[in-house]
Amino acid sequence: MNRTERRLAAKNNKKRQKRGNPGNVLSSAISLHQKGQLAEAEKIYRSIVQKQPDNPDALHFLGVLLHQTGQSDKAIANIQQALQINPAYLDACNNLGNIYKETGDMQQAAETYRRVIDMAPDHAGACNNLGVVLRNLEAYEESERVLLKAAELSPDNADVFQNLGNTYQEQDECRKAAEAYRQAIVLRPNHKYAYESLWKMLLKTGQSEEAREVLHNWLAADPGNPIARHHLSACLGEDVPDRASEAYIQDIFDKFAASFDTVLNRLDYRAPELVTQAVATLFPEPRQDLRVLDAGCGTGLCGPLLRPYAGTLVGVDLSSGMLRKAKGREIYDALVEADLVAYLGREKAAFDVIVSADTLVYFGDLAPLLKAAAGALKAAGSLVFTVEKSDEESGNGFRLNPHGRYAHAHDYIKASLAASGFDLRAAETVVLRKEAGQPVVGLLVTAVLN
């Protein structure tokens, strides 16, 4: 659950009895919203707005929901309308700032949070949010000042110290960053983001022993945490799983959904463009009659690029948060929440083309997935995907890197495809994105079922 959703869940519903709307109608919509029954909640919100177009609460919560389903422009319009009706509506203003932040408009987010603080100088949440945005704007000294104020206003808020640690880290003040992350953990002993940030910082600064100790401590505090377990395997090189667990994928990407597109844009992310270029090589004229699967579709970045080739375009992903964003693009004919291998195993000769951009990096052993993909393709069907490239010929042909993604060797890819009935047409070395300013090298693979 992201910050916007947590604020939604924390609302006091008493004020929603106004304007002739029975309180239980809006309350029931909010309850459905909290439970994730978004379609049902949206119907009620829209019904209230239709009857009472000047109801700021219904407009606000409808806006929150629209953002969660990938319709951020509409969300902003709804919340702005609520604020025109009630300019002093702090929660709506703060959530508007959240939407600007999560869609990458940091300047507007900063202005909106400042508006909240102007109305309520002791609004710790707005100070915390403003500090995060200022860090993104590289205004590090001001970010630090604002977050220290948030810590004074809300000294028991672990998230404030987590964010303060991030700001210190951006200024290369690693000692202060570590202290802030550890304070967040003291306040919330299972604070996964503080553990994760501390672990990553220690790893990046070459403190591998300390990084492993953090992972051990994290697992001691939260024995079932899939992120800590996965990364400890990566760091130790022991008990390396054949693929990332479903729990790991869901945890990572449900958290990441709100800011996914913005973050990848900053990383010069090229995988959607690359896989589409490979599809264009296979089909020089967009035919609009292919049945295409976007395997691991995420927020749907590949969707608009693949649409010209597809008579039917289906997306499948494990993350419900990602799929809500993909739905908002209104590009796909169907979106399915499922494990990729399981889904492919159910689909027999269903697709002309399967495309997967940066999803197979969470699989080490590709054999089960490739076998399932072969079964899901029609005769002479095509498979296009990216992986991160390993130049090391390890015994099994792949390795799990400390950052948690797998890398695959060219010869392993070729042999695995052949074993599943594919002809390898191309395996081009490409740059997928940048990380810490360095290129992430991968393979763009095209194969055809023989």
Side-chain angles (χ1 to χ4, degrees), residues 278-287 290 309 352-353 380 382:
V279 171
T281 300
L282 290 167
F283 305 97
E285 295 295 328
R287 291 163 36 180
L290 299 171
Y309 299 89
D352 298 293
V353 184
S382 302

Side-chain angles (χ1 to χ4, degrees), residues 201-222:
M201 184 188 74
L202 293 170
L203 195 66
K204 185 175 71 174
T205 55
Q207 302 176 72
S208 56
E209 290 296 328
E210 293 85 348
R212 281 196 288 272
E213 182 181 357
V214 169
L215 290 175
H216 282 295
N217 292 340
W218 188 359
L219 279 171
D222 186 5

Side-chain angles (χ1 to χ4, degrees), residues 404-424:
R405 299 185 301 274
Y406 294 86
H408 297 83
H410 178 280
D411 288 348
Y412 172 79
I413 296 289
K414 183 177 180 180
S416 298
L417 286 166
S420 295
F422 287 96
D423 287 332
L424 176 62

Side-chain angles (χ1 to χ4, degrees), residues 94-111:
N94 194 52
N95 276 335
L96 180 60
N98 293 340
I99 294 172
Y100 283 132
K101 172 169 64 72
E102 291 171 4
T103 54
D105 193 342
M106 298 299 168
Q107 291 289 355
Q108 282 284 3
E111 291 176 15

Side-chain angles (χ1 to χ4, degrees), residues 64 72 133 156 179 191 206 211 266 271 378 389:
V64 171
S72 298
V133 167
D156 296 330
E179 289 175 358
H191 196 308
R266 292 202 301 267
K378 298 177 182 179
K389 184 179 180 182

Side-chain angles (χ1 to χ4, degrees), residues 361 387-401 405-413 429 432 440-443:
V361 296
V387 292
E388 294 186 15
K389 184 179 180 182
S390 172
D391 290 324
E392 299 176 9
E393 292 294 339
S394 61
N396 52 15
F398 61 85
R399 71 170 189 268
L400 179 58
N401 287 319
R405 299 185 301 274
Y406 294 86
H408 297 83
H410 178 280
D411 288 348
Y412 172 79
I413 296 289
T429 299
L432 299 170
V440 175
V441 178
L443 292 170

